[in-house]
Amino acid sequence: GGGGGGATGAKKDVLGGGKKAMSITDAHTDRTVSFKEALESLAEDNEVLFLPKVGRQEKGKQVYSFGGVSVYLDNRLVYVSKDGGWGPMGIEELLEMAKKKKK
């Protein structure tokens, strides 16, 4: 006798991407995840809202709200609005800021 153990991983295949109904298909995103997409998934994992601020731009870049923190992305860096100016910030630090704002 033998009982097969048919337990396959129940974890969703992230690359299947059945969620993004409205996204425009980019031919080049199949290999590398864009920095914005990486931030989007980070925000999602931490239950932080990451949304573009309509009509807001800084140095020609789209400004986003990351959990209530104004940010823009340039050259794989996150620039954060603080003390009346913009400065680069690490992702971990940004996440901490966003979490503090959530409370």
Side-chain angles (χ1 to χ4, degrees):
T8 47
K11 221 174 170 205
K12 274 200 313 253
D13 182 12
V14 181
L15 297 172
K19 230 167 95 175
K20 290 188 178 169
M22 278 176 57
S23 76
I24 301 152
T25 49
D26 297 309
H28 61 269
T29 53
D30 55 354
R31 271 173 34 254
T32 54
V33 175
S34 78
F35 188 46
K36 181 171 97 67
E37 285 174 315
L39 270 181
E40 273 172 351
S41 61
L42 180 77
E44 211 171 282
D45 291 345
N46 292 277
E47 293 175 12
V48 170
L49 281 177
F50 179 60
L51 300 165
K53 292 191 164 191
V54 180
R56 281 285 309 276
Q57 287 199 336
E58 183 66 34
K59 296 186 171 68
K61 310 280 181 198
Q62 172 66 56
V63 175
Y64 296 89
S65 173
F66 187 94
V69 183
S70 292
V71 301
Y72 74 88
L73 313 179
D74 189 14
N75 201 19
R76 293 188 94 77
L77 282 173
V78 182
Y79 287 81
V80 176
S81 171
K82 55 178 183 182
D83 308 325
W86 292 83
M89 181 178 277
I91 289 171
E92 290 85 4
E93 207 180 331
L94 172 63
L95 200 53
E96 286 305 306
M97 252 177 100
K99 282 179 176 174
K100 279 182 191 148
K101 276 190 180 273
K102 252 174 75 171
K103 284 176 186 166

